[in-house]
Amino acid sequence: MNDDPTRRLYLDALMEGPEPPETSLRPLVLTAARARRRPAATTTGWTAPFAGRIAAMDAVLGEVTGQDWERRVVEGWTLQELLAHLAAKDGLVSLSVGAPVLGPPVTVNEGLARTAELQEYERRRAPDQTRRDWRAQADALCRHLASVAPDTPSETGGFTLPVVDHLLARVLETWIHTADAAGMLGVPLPHPVPDHIEVTADLCARLMPLAMRVSGHRVPEGRAVRLALTGPGGGLWHVPLHLGGRAVRGDGPAETAITCDVVEFCFLVGGRGDPDGFAAEVEGDAGLARELLHAAPALSGP
């Protein structure tokens, strides 16, 4: 088998999926792939999307040469600094559940402050050390969470949520920054498997009432959006937009309906899209739809 990076990344995506039937040739392909690259950490079902994004990022990093580490990727950060940012945010989730946190002790439980702290620390180390500890911390978090209930409350960065939601937020951010790194390197990146996209999209839909509030919209009770996300991993959500509203899978009464691609919506929520030029079909109250699309990235960070 050749060692083309695109081929390897697609194999990563295959390895995140369910076991193939006995007659499939896929087991032979996966056996060869696993012999060539480090697999995702052992996971329970609800941690698998995070482990998959960690494995995909690690596969992208396998294509990095010495000078690539110093190239600017996003926010003016080098690739090494971007990896320190991911490690910083992962470490805060680890801290909240008692899993190992690598690097200097956490002095502030806040994403950007911890990022600055860890970036300063990692600049004094070799990039391979940064990569090794980022991966080791993420794998340790997956192992630790294997014995933790997904609805366990977790306080991270001032937000108390079920730990599964904090981990899904890490899935989205790792996915987006993996795409940033792959784009800088010129490596095509396959999407996660549909099951992993679906749970990430569900988090994005459930964040919309809070995103509206953070964006300054005081939406009265009763106003809702029908969100139809198309493509593998998509689905239909009924999204009440008042603060405290609970988005649920399925249909319901709504003033407006928004239909768009599931991956593009996830990336919009993650800060990688233009609300003004976002490709969506809208029925009903166009103003309310516009407010939601502009509010969608409100909770995204660097």
Side-chain angles (χ1 to χ4, degrees):
M1 186 182 73
N2 68 50
D3 201 34
D4 175 74
T6 304
R7 172 74 169 164
R8 288 172 51 212
L9 287 168
Y10 273 94
L11 290 171
D12 284 340
L14 283 172
M15 279 187 277
E16 294 173 301
E19 286 301 313
E22 289 287 335
T23 57
S24 172
L25 291 177
R26 188 175 143 194
L28 298 177
V29 176
L30 297 187
T31 298
R34 289 188 177 106
R36 285 179 169 268
R37 57 167 301 282
R38 184 178 178 183
T42 301
T43 64
T44 62
W46 66 273
T47 63
F50 177 66
R53 291 308 87 211
I54 293 296
M57 180 59 144
D58 209 28
V60 170
L61 295 175
E63 305 307 314
V64 172
T65 63
Q67 292 184 337
D68 289 332
W69 286 107
E70 298 303 317
R71 295 172 63 184
R72 303 289 169 177
V73 184
V74 66
E75 299 292 327
W77 293 336
T78 65
L79 185 55
Q80 183 179 18
E81 290 167 338
L82 176 61
L83 203 57
H85 169 65
L86 289 175
K89 300 286 287 291
D90 294 346
L92 294 183
V93 178
S94 296
L95 180 70
S96 74
V97 294
V101 180
L102 300 184
V106 177
T107 59
V108 181
N109 188 353
E110 192 279 322
L112 287 179
R114 178 58 178 172
T115 290
E117 189 174 66
L118 201 56
Q119 284 175 339
E120 181 180 359
Y121 170 76
E122 295 296 349
R123 289 186 194 107
R124 300 192 294 268
R125 307 174 77 219
D128 283 348
Q129 293 176 308
T130 303
R131 177 186 175 186
R132 179 197 64 207
D133 283 2
W134 158 79
R135 178 69 195 254
Q137 179 181 255
D139 286 351
L141 176 58
C142 286
R143 288 192 295 270
H144 181 87
L145 290 176
S147 60
V148 174
D151 59 354
T152 300
S154 165
E155 195 280 319
T156 300
F159 289 92
T160 300
L161 297 169
V163 67
V164 62
D165 285 349
H166 278 304
L167 200 66
L168 285 171
R170 302 306 314 129
V171 171
L172 179 61
E173 185 168 7
T174 305
W175 181 12
I176 286 171
H177 284 319
T178 301
D180 292 335
M184 182 270 286
L185 294 166
V187 177
L189 182 71
H191 296 320
V193 294
D195 286 352
H196 296 181
I197 294 175
E198 183 181 5
V199 292
T200 307
D202 182 65
L203 175 72
C204 291
R206 290 187 287 110
L207 287 175
M208 288 304 97
L210 180 57
M212 291 288 281
R213 178 73 178 215
V214 169
S215 298
H217 300 290
R218 302 297 187 266
V219 181
E221 289 194 33
R223 303 205 75 193
V225 166
R226 178 182 184 270
L227 183 62
L229 302 179
T230 62
L236 181 65
W237 281 262
H238 177 250
V239 187
L241 293 177
H242 63 276
L243 187 63
R246 294 180 63 83
V248 294
R249 286 185 174 91
D251 207 349
E255 283 78 9
T256 187
I258 300 173
T259 301
C260 58
D261 180 79
V262 62
V263 172
E264 291 180 3
F265 183 72
C266 288
F267 271 59
L268 179 69
V269 173
R272 294 296 184 275
D274 175 15
D276 287 321
F278 188 72
E281 296 179 10
V282 174
E283 298 178 9
D285 188 337
L288 184 60
R290 184 168 53 251
E291 288 178 4
L292 182 143
L293 293 175
H294 278 81
L299 300 173
S300 65

